[in-house]
Amino acid sequence: MLNSEYLKNLNKSQKEAVMSLDGPLLIVAGAGSGKTKVLTSRIANIIKSKKAFPNQILAVTFTNKAAKEMQTRVSQILGSSAVGLSWLGTFHSICVKILRKHAPAVNLNSNFTIVDNDDQIRLIKNICKAENIDIKQLAPRFILALIDKWKNKGFYPNEVIVDNKDIYEKNILPIYKIYQQKLNELNTCDFGDLILHAVKILEKFEDIRDIYSKNFKYILVDEYQDTNFIQSRWLNLLTEKNNNICCVGDDDQSIYSWRGAEIKNFLEFDKTYKDTKIIRLEENYRSTQNILSVASNLISYNQNRVGKTLKATMEDGDLVKLNCFKNVKDEATGISDEIEKISKRFKLNNTAILVRAIFQTREFEERFLKIGIPYRILGGTKFYERAEIKDCVAYLRLIYQEKDDLAFERIVNNPKRSIGESTIKIIYEYSKKNSSCLEVSSRKMIEKNLIKPKAKVGLSIFLNLLSKWRNDLKIKKMNHVKLLQTILDESGYSANLKNKKDIENESRLENIKELLNAMKDFDNLEGFLEHVSLATSIDQDWDGEKVNMMTMHAAKGLEFDVVFLPGWEEGLFPHQKSIEEKGQSGLEEERRLAYVGITRAKKLAVISFSMNRFYQGDWIDSMASRFIDELPEKYLEKNSFFPDSNEQIDDFDFNQDIETNDTIRSPGWIRYQKKLK
């Protein structure tokens, strides 16, 4: 029997989860309910009770960090008895071990290598070049994303059934076939192969499947709500002999469908594994009751969920704050003021701003730099350090000052103009020899016919555009915002982002739109460039007390004393694209994301939205997110600016200096008008 020491500090539900060893078990572990403690105690119990040896336990996590933490905790409980947990690790690390032993079964040698992302991109580029495929139209990253999607669904190239209506699938499948053949020839795998190959081996060879399914007497899986099809299939095959599988997770925190995660794995667990026992961990050790009540009420609007009710183990705490602001600038000011106000109660390191989209950090970064609040970006880059922003700024710098060689180097071949590194090198050498800047040197070398024909054409076009844009700025007195829009259009930079199918391009375009918004705050180009120089001169210093900024996706698994959740407006959150592409399931995932955001807060949560947002060059009327209507009033504290239910949005005092375009309306505004009718 389990020594009482192992049960120390476990509540009733946690004890039940630790002690229930036989048969399939689904542990529905709410946010902050101590799931890691349960998993580690359960492993300790299995070993201590002599139900299995350490090497007969398969414990799977999603990250190396989680695996290491689990190993450490078990070792702290069992000491030397924990030695031998050789099958504790990530999905990928465990599949590598299986694949090394049985590599010939999938036409590989046991010494196969694993390619990283850069090698994958290089291989795809080579294939595209050989097959005369234009990577400007079909980006290698997008190709790899679709290949990875097929692998997550369990498909080798010959098993893919193409949707004939999807032109991308039709064009990429032949690439997938060549790509997979090349990987085999090189005796290598990508990360998708590791699980796919392992599954195919288990499916095809019954004797191999018997070895592992007999050996693994107990299987434990962390964050089960994040599993995809192939991971679920792998687990299913390994439970064939011993049906002792325990999966821990929270369906209300399933927010990674865009990465292939399938929530139905969690929701249909009891259908996949007969006689499943479900235990709910509902005691929360992280947040106050008011925070949990707000989060629980919100998530209850989702239909596809197992269901649970979180209860706090601490006091009710502060009410959740709900703030309405006139515009985004006011929102950033209001949040910074609130941070300064509560700084004696809460340290900056324990304060976080969680946004739906990464472009939203810009307004807060500007405000924090202005008033001197230190901050860090987690899981991302500071706004003015993002590649697409640096590209835009480089164009503007070069137009403003032709001697800016660094800017010239950055954008002379961006987008591609057939100006390779060898051409740039000879321009640089000429520049050094003649003590002239790169742009002047380029013009002279073209005059003297010192550039190869293909590069000469591209370089000539680029230099002509620079002259035209300088004329726009200095002679035509074009506004600096309009100037950047013109540059992006005429250089082909915008078209390159829009046309090239790349999973990251949507975010890049949003950042550029936000840059255009930022430029409106400055009277001229000189003032804006000076501001950028000052903003980028401050290094990303990770030490010391700093406010944490990140997306809600990046915040999963983290916790903070204080959490600010700005931008709760229709179209932004829930994100319009998510609803358009996935309908009800997309809306429910957005609501789960809101739930994750709120439950990161331990002591204080502050939700906010603005009534006006500058979007794509115009001020638009925003509407509060539908999620705000789903927050229970009794647990909320609203600011004084919050509109009365009978108050018309038109009563807000707009800045009269700003030109508005009445033809542009947010999705929320449209919904609001329908509501009025």
Side-chain angles (χ1 to χ4, degrees):
M1 285 299 290
L2 191 63
N3 190 309
S4 60
E5 272 303 302
Y6 296 93
L7 298 174
K8 195 175 179 182
N9 299 323
L10 293 178
N11 62 43
K12 186 179 177 183
S13 297
Q14 289 174 333
K15 283 180 187 176
E16 187 183 2
V18 169
M19 300 293 285
S20 301
L21 298 181
D22 297 326
L25 174 65
L26 182 67
I27 302 175
V28 185
S33 62
K35 66 177 179 67
T36 306
K37 181 192 283 188
V38 168
L39 274 175
T40 51
S41 297
R42 187 177 167 86
I43 293 171
N45 184 27
I46 292 167
I47 296 170
K48 192 70 177 178
S49 310
K50 295 185 168 45
K51 288 278 189 176
F53 293 109
N55 66 353
Q56 294 175 317
I57 299 171
L58 172 64
V60 194
T61 66
F62 272 87
T63 64
N64 289 317
K65 183 183 175 184
K68 191 175 179 180
E69 184 183 359
M70 198 178 292
Q71 179 74 61
T72 301
R73 289 203 189 188
V74 174
S75 297
Q76 287 172 347
I77 297 172
L78 293 182
S80 60
S81 300
V83 174
L85 281 168
S86 53
W87 296 101
L88 191 161
T90 64
F91 280 96
H92 291 104
S93 68
I94 291 168
C95 283
V96 167
K97 289 178 71 172
I98 293 174
L99 202 51
R100 292 277 183 216
K101 291 183 179 180
H102 309 286
V106 285
N107 299 314
L108 290 171
N109 298 323
S110 59
N111 64 342
F112 64 84
T113 56
I114 303 167
V115 292
D116 61 18
N117 192 245
D118 289 342
D119 288 333
Q120 284 180 277
I121 290 171
R122 198 175 299 113
L123 180 56
I124 290 292
K125 282 181 176 177
N126 290 340
I127 294 168
C128 289
K129 188 177 180 179
E131 299 297 314
N132 293 315
I133 296 166
D134 186 2
I135 61 171
K136 291 180 181 178
Q137 301 301 317
L138 206 56
R141 289 185 186 278
F142 178 73
I143 295 170
L144 285 170
L146 185 53
I147 289 173
D148 194 53
K149 181 182 175 182
W150 281 327
K151 290 185 176 184
N152 288 340
K153 293 286 185 182
F155 299 140
Y156 279 149
N158 62 324
E159 297 170 322
V160 174
I161 300 172
V162 170
D163 181 356
N164 288 321
K165 295 178 182 177
D166 193 322
I167 189 167
Y168 294 114
E169 285 194 2
K170 287 174 69 175
N171 290 335
I172 292 173
L173 181 56
I175 301 174
Y176 180 20
K177 289 177 180 176
I178 300 168
Y179 171 77
Q180 204 60 31
Q181 185 183 337
K182 291 285 185 186
L183 289 180
N184 283 344
E185 289 172 1
L186 294 166
N187 192 41
T188 192
C189 299
D190 62 20
F191 277 93
D193 284 331
L194 298 177
I195 304 178
L196 179 61
H197 285 330
V199 165
K200 296 299 183 183
I201 290 169
L202 295 174
E203 285 179 340
K204 189 176 179 181
F205 300 96
E206 188 178 346
D207 55 333
I208 297 174
R209 185 168 71 247
D210 281 352
I211 291 170
Y212 291 100
S213 61
K214 285 178 181 175
N215 180 72
F216 296 139
K217 291 188 175 182
Y218 291 91
I219 296 174
L220 300 92
V221 188
D222 193 16
E223 303 286 5
Y224 187 67
Q225 79 280 345
D226 294 335
T227 55
N228 56 32
F229 170 82
I230 200 70
Q231 290 163 338
S232 176
R233 176 62 178 151
W234 180 71
L235 291 166
N236 197 237
L237 290 164
L238 292 174
T239 56
E240 194 172 87
K241 299 297 180 184
N242 297 304
N243 205 29
N244 300 324
I245 182 169
C246 168
C247 292
V248 184
D250 185 3
D251 53 316
D252 291 334
Q253 296 187 67
S254 179
I255 58 174
Y256 295 129
S257 67
W258 50 277
R259 259 181 3 198
E262 296 192 9
I263 192 172
K264 73 175 184 179
N265 291 342
F266 195 98
L267 299 177
E268 298 178 2
F269 183 89
D270 57 343
K271 294 178 182 176
T272 305
Y273 300 97
K274 291 182 180 179
D275 302 319
T276 291
K277 184 175 185 178
I278 299 176
I279 296 175
R280 290 170 172 81
L281 305 183
E282 297 177 311
E283 287 188 51
N284 176 283
Y285 297 90
R286 175 189 298 156
S287 308
T288 61
Q289 187 58 57
N290 285 332
I291 291 171
L292 293 182
S293 296
V294 168
S296 296
N297 198 83
L298 174 67
I299 201 63
S300 69
Y301 283 83
N302 273 8
Q303 296 175 3
N304 296 303
R305 58 191 295 258
V306 176
K308 61 184 177 304
T309 304
L310 289 181
K311 306 180 206 62
T313 55
M314 56 185 76
E315 72 283 351
D316 289 347
D318 294 347
L319 293 172
V320 172
K321 293 189 176 186
L322 180 59
N323 295 333
C324 171
F325 295 99
K326 185 163 62 175
N327 54 51
V328 181
K329 280 196 180 310
D330 285 356
E331 185 177 42
T333 301
I335 288 175
S336 64
D337 289 349
E338 184 75 16
I339 289 171
E340 290 189 313
K341 183 180 170 184
I342 63 174
S343 60
K344 289 183 179 178
R345 281 181 67 194
F346 305 108
K347 292 183 177 180
L348 295 182
N349 277 348
N350 281 321
T351 302
I353 298 174
L354 310 184
V355 296
R356 174 61 181 87
I358 194 65
F359 78 85
Q360 291 173 262
T361 67
R362 199 272 307 173
E363 207 67 70
F364 298 100
E365 291 186 58
E366 301 272 19
R367 176 66 183 169
F368 284 16
L369 286 169
K370 186 176 180 179
I371 65 174
I373 294 180
Y375 70 94
R376 63 173 69 86
I377 305 286
L378 294 182
T381 311
K382 288 188 173 183
F383 184 80
Y384 288 109
E385 295 293 334
R386 293 166 195 168
E388 60 277 8
I389 302 302
K390 292 175 82 170
D391 291 342
C392 292
V393 171
Y395 269 106
L396 293 170
R397 279 170 44 196
L398 188 59
I399 290 161
Y400 184 72
Q401 173 55 265
E402 71 172 9
K403 293 181 179 179
D404 194 331
D405 284 351
L406 289 174
F408 183 94
E409 281 189 73
R410 184 174 186 93
I411 49 97
V412 66
N413 198 39
N414 186 9
K416 301 289 186 188
R417 301 184 179 95
S418 302
I419 306 165
E421 288 183 13
S422 59
T423 302
I424 295 170
K425 188 179 177 183
I426 63 170
I427 295 170
Y428 183 80
E429 288 170 353
Y430 184 95
S431 155
K432 194 174 179 182
K433 186 178 178 181
N434 294 276
S435 300
S436 57
C437 67
L438 295 179
E439 183 182 335
V440 170
S441 297
S442 298
R443 295 184 186 279
K444 287 180 178 177
M445 290 178 76
I446 287 174
E447 288 175 13
K448 295 178 181 181
N449 206 27
L450 299 176
I451 305 287
K452 289 180 180 179
K454 194 174 180 181
K456 183 180 177 180
V457 172
L459 190 59
S460 298
I461 292 170
F462 175 65
L463 293 172
N464 289 337
L465 283 171
L466 287 179
S467 299
K468 188 264 181 188
W469 295 328
R470 285 201 187 101
N471 187 68
D472 288 341
L473 177 67
K474 294 174 182 177
I475 308 301
K476 293 184 178 180
K477 305 296 180 184
M478 183 180 283
N479 174 282
H480 56 292
V481 181
K482 178 65 178 173
L483 177 65
L484 179 57
Q485 290 173 321
T486 303
I487 292 168
L488 292 169
D489 288 341
E490 294 180 353
S491 68
Y493 193 97
S494 289
N496 190 48
L497 286 180
K498 290 173 183 174
N499 298 335
K500 189 165 65 173
K501 202 68 179 172
D502 192 315
I503 53 177
E504 296 176 359
N505 277 1
E506 183 183 342
S507 178
R508 294 188 184 107
L509 286 166
E510 283 187 332
N511 283 331
I512 290 172
K513 289 170 187 174
E514 187 62 22
L515 178 67
L516 291 165
N517 296 345
M519 292 173 69
K520 293 252 181 179
D521 291 339
F522 300 88
D523 295 330
N524 51 49
L525 180 58
E526 183 181 12
F528 171 70
L529 290 176
E530 185 178 303
H531 170 75
V532 174
S533 296
L534 292 170
T536 53
S537 65
I538 302 170
D539 294 331
Q540 177 90 311
D541 181 11
W542 290 93
D543 298 326
E545 287 288 321
K546 289 178 174 62
V547 175
N548 303 283
M549 291 188 205
M550 71 202 81
T551 64
M552 281 182 269
H553 282 103
K556 189 170 177 291
L558 303 177
E559 58 183 45
F560 305 92
D561 285 343
V562 185
V563 169
F564 291 90
L565 298 153
W568 281 42
E569 300 140 33
E570 279 293 310
L572 180 56
F573 192 49
H575 203 285
Q576 191 67 14
K577 187 183 176 186
S578 186
I579 297 172
E580 286 174 354
E581 290 184 353
K582 301 176 192 172
Q584 184 64 25
S585 67
L587 175 61
E588 292 205 353
E589 181 157 340
E590 290 287 294
R591 191 176 282 112
R592 292 195 293 270
L593 190 56
Y595 174 85
V596 167
I598 296 169
T599 55
R600 298 313 91 195
K602 294 162 70 175
K603 296 176 181 177
L604 179 64
V606 184
I607 299 168
S608 60
F609 67 98
S610 63
M611 302 303 296
N612 307 286
R613 180 173 288 276
F614 202 71
Y615 185 70
Q616 297 189 25
D618 291 280
W619 282 96
I620 60 172
D621 304 304
S622 308
M623 179 183 174
S625 167
R626 70 187 75 188
F627 296 157
I628 286 175
D629 291 337
E630 298 168 359
L631 305 177
E633 292 270 345
K634 63 185 288 189
Y635 303 112
L636 300 177
E637 178 189 333
K638 299 179 181 180
N639 69 341
S640 58
F641 195 68
F642 208 92
D644 185 80
S645 58
N646 298 317
E647 188 178 348
Q648 296 295 311
I649 291 178
D650 293 338
D651 292 340
F652 283 92
D653 184 22
F654 290 90
N655 185 338
Q656 298 303 309
D657 297 328
I658 297 165
E659 294 182 7
T660 61
N661 185 342
D662 291 334
T663 64
I664 299 177
R665 297 296 186 190
S666 67
W669 176 261
I670 297 166
R671 199 168 71 89
Y672 178 74
Q673 294 301 318
K674 290 178 180 177
K675 191 175 179 181
L676 289 181
K677 291 174 184 177

